[in-house]
Amino acid sequence: MSSAVKHWAVGAAGVAVAAGVNLATGLITRNWGVAWLATAGLVVAGGCLQVWMWRLNGSPARQRVHRTTVDGNVRQRLPGTGEQSVTDSHVGRDLEQSQGDGA
């Protein structure tokens, strides 16, 4: 499942929980003002959680070797998604790049 789908799933779950709290609080207290206040608090907390998750996943990682001279080997390993590049460089031996969960 992609991270965008996960974000939407978490957001939908948060709305469902907020609606449930609204209904339960209103029925238990018979004070709908308190129910709406509790729901607003959950919606704000959910929005903060969404922003935190987006920032946590942020932009893809980057690994770059640029204008570098190496007499030996160069090895780049990136465990997740992102971009790897070697440009305008001299590598004396082997260049190895690996990416993904098995990196």
Side-chain angles (χ1 to χ4, degrees), residues 40-75:
L42 281 175
V43 168
V44 168
C48 291
L49 179 62
Q50 286 286 61
V51 169
W52 176 69
M53 286 176 57
W54 280 323
R55 293 193 65 143
L56 185 65
N57 290 333
S59 61
R62 291 184 183 159
Q63 291 182 341
R64 293 184 180 171
V65 177
H66 181 68
R67 292 187 181 182
T68 304
T69 300
V70 179
D71 291 333
N73 300 326
V74 173
R75 180 182 302 158

